[in-house]
Amino acid sequence: MPTLPDGATGPSGNTLSALLSRYDAGEPVACERVAEGLLNHGYRLATTRGVFFLKHHLDGDPQTVIPLAGRHRATAELAGLGLPVVPPLAARDGRTVAVLGGRAYALHPWVEGRHRHGGQLSRGESRRLGALLGLVHRALERVIRRWPPRRLPEREAARAGETYARIDQLLARVRARARRTGFDELAEHRLLERRTLLRDHEQLRPSAEEIPAEGWVHGDFHPLNLLYRAEGPVEPVAIVDWDRLAVRPRAEEAVRAAVIFYLCADGSLELAKVRAYARAYRAAAGASPAELAAAVHRVWWERLNDFWMLDWHYERADRRPDPQFPAASALVVWWTLNTAAVRDAFCD
């Protein structure tokens, strides 16, 4: 009978057996929840015929714009172009989506690899990372050209008035806590600080004309969605989690990814590595410095007005993003004080 580690929940043994029978993949031996990731559920599934990655696709992500089977076709074609993508296996009936008990599953080959953040990458490896994302953006144009673009809802830049109201709501949540924690103290400090920063810079809200060129993007490109070879040369072996594949400003994805990869614990960015990454991205994607400059400005404004980690903590009682909050909230302050240096790192 397949087992899960203490405290984890997952598909039942009967569900796993029924699923594997569709693939002729043997009988389940062990099923272990993969710890990383905030959305969907993933499992390392050992069977009598090998090891697989089982993904349980959850409903309700508003940023999902392509049906699951369509995303699977796109990833298969990307892999066919030589990109490090691991498409799902096809069952005996040719389908890559298995629905059991109203739940959608996909079975992938298991890839041995490790996640790496920017601090673990050299400048040369940072160049290869930027080039990889640029190649992904160019390849997606070829792979999905036959599908009409399905855009996410129009994203005008956040309005300061709405942000002030959200700050007040979150402050009320923090101050209503009967027993304050260190997280609460930091949250209050950052909310008050953010309100002051916004008042000093609200005239810099990006206009609609500043939106960089749009195209198909991965939608969630960050260290937990990129696996590097576990041993030997430092090179990517799998870009995973294509659930947010969508039409969005491409350069903004490049900036967001760099900000996550190269964020330091004190809230600063490793700008030398960002510069190497950005130059390689621009060359591979055919993006101009002006396009990157517009993206940098829009992502900075987005960060200035965003409180998703606090929303998860106080509104959803979900603490998983808490460890990211100290550095991410410090970044907003550091970035605002170093605007020119950040822009130059992406655009030189």
Side-chain angles (χ1 to χ4, degrees):
M1 178 65 67
T3 60
L4 288 168
D6 291 343
T9 59
S12 67
N14 289 337
T15 296
L16 292 175
S17 294
L19 175 72
L20 291 170
S21 68
R22 300 187 181 190
Y23 294 85
D24 292 326
E27 288 297 319
V29 175
C31 186
E32 181 179 2
R33 177 78 175 267
V34 177
E36 290 91 344
L38 299 179
L39 300 173
N40 296 311
H41 294 161
Y43 305 89
R44 184 183 188 276
L45 176 58
T47 80
T48 53
R49 294 192 180 179
V51 180
F52 303 89
F53 175 71
L54 175 64
K55 187 167 183 178
H56 172 201
H57 290 270
L58 304 179
D59 296 327
D61 186 347
Q63 298 193 50
T64 297
V65 299
I66 296 181
L68 182 53
R71 299 199 298 274
H72 288 174
R73 288 194 296 273
T75 55
E77 293 192 39
L78 289 174
L81 293 174
L83 288 167
V85 179
V86 184
L89 300 170
R92 292 196 311 272
D93 61 5
R95 297 180 182 179
T96 57
V97 182
V99 180
L100 293 97
R103 297 179 176 179
Y105 298 94
L107 192 67
H108 298 253
W110 179 262
V111 176
E112 288 294 342
R114 56 176 293 190
H115 303 293
R116 290 180 180 269
H117 56 76
Q120 297 170 303
L121 301 177
S122 67
R123 291 192 193 183
E125 290 155 359
S126 297
R127 283 192 292 272
R128 290 194 286 276
L129 176 63
L132 174 62
L133 183 57
L135 290 172
V136 166
H137 287 173
R138 295 294 289 269
L140 284 170
E141 293 177 3
R142 297 173 56 186
V143 168
I144 316 183
R145 65 186 183 280
R146 65 189 180 280
W147 295 346
R150 295 181 61 187
R151 291 175 170 80
L152 293 169
E154 291 299 325
R155 295 183 312 108
E156 71 168 13
R159 296 184 179 278
E162 295 173 0
T163 303
Y164 292 139
R166 188 68 190 126
I167 289 173
D168 289 342
Q169 291 169 355
L170 286 167
L171 281 171
R173 287 276 190 177
V174 173
R175 290 166 175 170
R177 309 277 285 189
R179 299 181 63 180
R180 303 257 298 218
T181 66
F183 186 95
D184 297 324
E185 297 295 335
L186 179 60
E188 181 175 23
H189 170 71
R190 291 304 189 197
L191 286 165
L192 294 172
E193 179 181 59
R194 193 76 63 85
R195 186 161 61 189
T196 299
L197 281 176
L198 189 56
R199 283 174 176 165
D200 290 342
H201 297 87
E202 61 180 283
Q203 74 279 5
L204 298 179
R205 177 177 180 265
S207 66
E209 290 73 29
E210 292 181 70
I211 299 178
E214 291 188 333
W216 289 99
V217 298
H218 175 277
D220 204 19
F221 194 84
H222 58 68
L224 292 183
N225 283 335
L226 182 62
L227 282 173
Y228 281 85
R229 186 183 299 277
E231 303 290 342
V234 179
E235 60 182 62
V237 291
I239 304 169
V240 301
D241 195 355
W242 293 82
D243 292 339
R244 292 186 169 182
L245 182 63
V247 173
R248 301 193 70 170
R250 291 168 297 194
E252 288 187 24
E253 171 157 271
V255 173
R256 287 192 196 93
V259 166
I260 299 172
F261 268 96
Y262 298 107
L263 176 62
C264 300
D266 63 357
S268 63
L269 296 174
E270 293 187 88
L271 292 183
K273 293 180 181 180
V274 169
R275 180 173 281 103
Y277 160 96
R279 285 176 176 173
Y281 171 78
R282 295 201 313 268
S288 69
E291 187 175 351
L292 266 292
V296 169
H297 182 57
R298 287 182 60 85
V299 175
W300 164 76
W301 180 261
E302 176 184 280
R303 293 290 185 271
L304 184 62
N305 288 267
D306 181 60
F307 303 99
W308 76 269
M309 294 179 191
L310 296 183
D311 288 339
W312 279 45
H313 183 97
Y314 292 107
E315 303 291 349
R316 300 169 57 168
D318 192 328
R319 309 294 194 256
R320 287 177 295 167
D322 286 5
Q324 303 175 42
F325 180 69
S329 59
L331 168 66
V332 179
V333 182
W334 183 90
W335 192 342
T336 303
L337 296 174
N338 294 274
T339 302
V342 176
R343 183 186 61 246
D344 291 346
F346 279 99
C347 304
D348 276 356

